Amino acid sequence: MGEENNSANLQKLIWGIVDFFHFNGHAHLFEKEILVMFAIKRLSDVFDDDSEEERLDSYNTHSNREELAPTVVKDSSKFFLPESARLLNLQNLRHNIGAELDASTRAIEDHNRSLRGLLSIAYFNNSYLNDQNLQDLLVLFSKFNIRNRDLESP
């Protein structure tokens, strides 16, 4: 039952993206942006999930729990997602969203050598995607979780 729910949610996300770009009439122009946005969403969800698990493990094993900071340590995951590149922070942007998304892809690549050249292929700061379009897209992606536990086989 849970797997059907997760599959249905992922299908809703995909159809929501298709509808979004079809409505705006430029779906064929944004293949890279769609794939990179999926990647940012997936990276954000997995990073947040991994970081949460590490904080809980540290909390449970640390003798002086008051010393634990509520922040994420750079080595807390298989990869590192800078604070400014996390979807939770990106979805709060209101101005210059395209430029911020482009900067976020570069920041992720700068912190993760294995991802270099994969995310910066997208160009969000273009004349077709204004701040409102990008805000709507970020809100759409934030409605769904694609963490490991949300997928049939991560």
Side-chain angles (χ1 to χ4, degrees), residues 67-99:
E67 291 177 8
L68 291 175
T71 58
V72 177
V73 179
K74 183 171 180 170
D75 296 328
S76 68
S77 188
K78 297 172 189 79
F79 56 89
F80 178 71
L81 211 58
E83 191 79 28
S84 62
R86 297 179 194 158
L87 194 66
L88 185 63
N89 295 322
L90 292 171
Q91 71 189 31
N92 292 323
L93 296 173
R94 298 293 179 257
H95 305 289
N96 301 316
I97 298 173

Side-chain angles (χ1 to χ4, degrees), residues 40 43 81-82 85 104-112 115 119:
I40 291 172
L43 289 168
L81 211 58
S104 294
T105 61
R106 289 189 302 276
I108 294 169
E109 289 180 349
D110 288 346
H111 285 89
N112 302 278
L115 297 176
L119 302 176

